[in-house]
């Protein structure tokens, strides 16, 4: 079952989107339940944990970016799909970690593509990938999604994860070679980071969602930023996201 919130202050557009999503669920034989809101304030009052939120950016009262930021304070995992012109809001929406974008007038094929991406990504989320490391605390198996970054120093590697900090003996290049295909990148010769946790990039600093600040080398800056956007496209379907 998918519980989906739709938020748009245009009743006609809201009804069209709602009809398309319900049609998609019927065609795919998926139990889809929709909840409609005509303003961001009412959406934020809801106590439900939605799987997906279709959120218009231009609304009276709180706009979609502000609503998205407030949603993210309580829910790090809901997939937010913005209804807008992607190019105008890419920088602001990056901090919200949007899952996708659709434009008006709605095209049913585009809505179906977004919903297909939701289903595909949800399936991937349920398949956790883990690696086993020989650490200073013994043999540890970590889910890759729990690792923020690796840091090389004093000929050792520090692993910073959600639950603990571990140290291993390895090279940072070997770490990159093993994990690059899983969404890890090297912004600096001493770091390999999980692109999933990039919160913002400003100048030559990357801020991760745990508050860590990772440097970008001037030499790597252009390529790294291209990798971030490529990752967002292939993993969160930012094309129209990610």
């Amino acid at each position: 079952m998918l519980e989906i919130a739709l938020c748009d202050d245009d009743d006609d557009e809201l009804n069209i989107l709602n009809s398309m999503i319900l049609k998609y669920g019927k065609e795919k034989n998926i139990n889809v339940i929709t909840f409609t809101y005509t303003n961001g304030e009412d959406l934020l009052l809801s106590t439900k944990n939605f799987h997906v939120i279709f959120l218009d950016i231009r609304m009276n009262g709180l706009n979609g970016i502000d609503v998205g930021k407030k949603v993210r304070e309580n829910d790090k995992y809901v997939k937010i799909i913005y209804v807008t012109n992607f190019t105008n809001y890419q920088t602001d929406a990056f901090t919200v970690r949007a899952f996708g974008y659709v434009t008006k007038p709605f095209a049913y094929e585009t809505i179906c593509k977004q919903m297909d991406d939701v289903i595909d990504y949800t399936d991937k989320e349920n398949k956790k990938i883990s690696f086993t490391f020989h650490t200073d605390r013994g043999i540890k198996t970590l889910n890759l999604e729990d690792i923020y970054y690796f840091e090389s120093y004093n000929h050792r590697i520090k692993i910073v994860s959600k639950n603990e900090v571990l140290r291993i003996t390895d090279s940072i290049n070997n770490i990159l070679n093993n994990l690059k295909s899983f969404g890890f990148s090297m912004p600096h010769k001493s770091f390999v980071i999980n692109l999933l946790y990039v919160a913002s990039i400003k100048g030559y600093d990357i801020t991760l969602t745990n508050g860590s600040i990772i440097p970008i080398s001037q030499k790597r800056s252009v390529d790294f930023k291209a990798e971030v956007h490529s990752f967002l496209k292939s993993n969160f379907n930012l094309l129209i996201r990610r």
Side-chain angles (χ1 to χ4, degrees), residues 11-26:
D11 287 335
D12 292 336
E13 299 284 2
L14 189 62
N15 290 333
I16 291 170
L17 180 59
N18 189 45
S19 297
M20 288 182 175
I21 291 174
L22 292 176
K23 179 182 177 182
Y24 173 89
K26 185 175 181 179

Side-chain angles (χ1 to χ4, degrees), residues 28-194:
K28 297 289 186 176
N29 196 28
I30 298 171
N31 185 14
V32 174
I33 301 176
T34 57
F35 302 81
T36 59
Y37 302 89
T38 56
N39 60 74
E41 289 83 354
D42 286 346
L43 172 61
L44 292 173
L45 289 174
S46 173
T47 58
K48 294 192 67 64
N49 290 320
F50 300 107
H51 297 99
V52 186
I53 298 175
F54 280 83
L55 183 57
D56 190 24
I57 283 189
R58 290 190 173 184
M59 295 188 292
N60 294 322
L62 286 175
N63 65 41
I65 296 296
D66 291 335
V67 173
K69 289 178 180 178
K70 289 182 179 296
V71 167
R72 276 284 173 258
E73 290 175 4
N74 299 309
D75 192 337
K76 305 297 184 186
Y77 302 103
V78 62
K79 297 166 183 64
I80 297 175
I81 298 175
Y82 275 121
V83 178
T84 187
N85 184 324
F86 167 74
T87 56
N88 290 345
Y89 292 95
Q90 181 178 6
T91 301
D92 289 337
F94 182 85
T95 62
V96 179
R97 303 182 69 79
F99 182 85
Y101 292 82
V102 295
T103 57
K104 297 180 180 181
F106 300 119
Y108 183 59
E109 295 76 12
T110 300
I111 300 301
C112 288
K113 176 61 169 62
Q114 286 293 301
M115 292 301 298
D116 285 343
D117 290 341
V118 166
I119 301 300
D120 289 345
Y121 190 76
T122 300
D123 289 341
K124 290 179 182 179
E125 285 181 319
N126 294 330
K127 297 176 182 177
K128 297 183 184 296
I129 301 171
S130 62
F131 268 65
T132 298
F133 301 92
H134 293 267
T135 79
D136 56 340
R137 298 184 188 177
I139 297 175
K140 293 275 189 175
T141 299
L142 301 177
N143 290 325
L144 292 187
E145 67 179 36
D146 291 335
I147 299 174
Y148 289 113
Y149 66 90
F150 298 82
E151 179 182 0
S152 173
Y153 73 104
N154 293 333
H155 306 292
R156 302 201 73 188
I157 301 292
K158 179 170 70 175
I159 306 174
V160 178
S161 71
K162 289 183 177 180
N163 301 314
E164 56 191 335
V165 176
L166 302 168
R167 289 165 179 79
I168 62 175
T169 301
D170 205 338
S171 73
I172 199 71
N173 286 324
N174 190 49
I175 294 293
L176 178 64
N177 290 336
N178 287 329
L179 300 183
K180 187 172 184 177
S181 62
F182 299 103
F184 285 75
S185 180
M186 179 186 284
H188 183 281
K189 66 179 182 181
S190 297
F191 293 88
V192 168
I193 70 170
N194 189 340

Side-chain angles (χ1 to χ4, degrees), residues 198-217:
V198 174
S200 64
I201 300 173
K202 185 175 182 180
Y204 293 105
D205 287 331
I206 308 158
T207 300
L208 302 185
T209 56
N210 71 337
S212 297
I213 298 177
I214 307 297
I216 308 175
S217 69

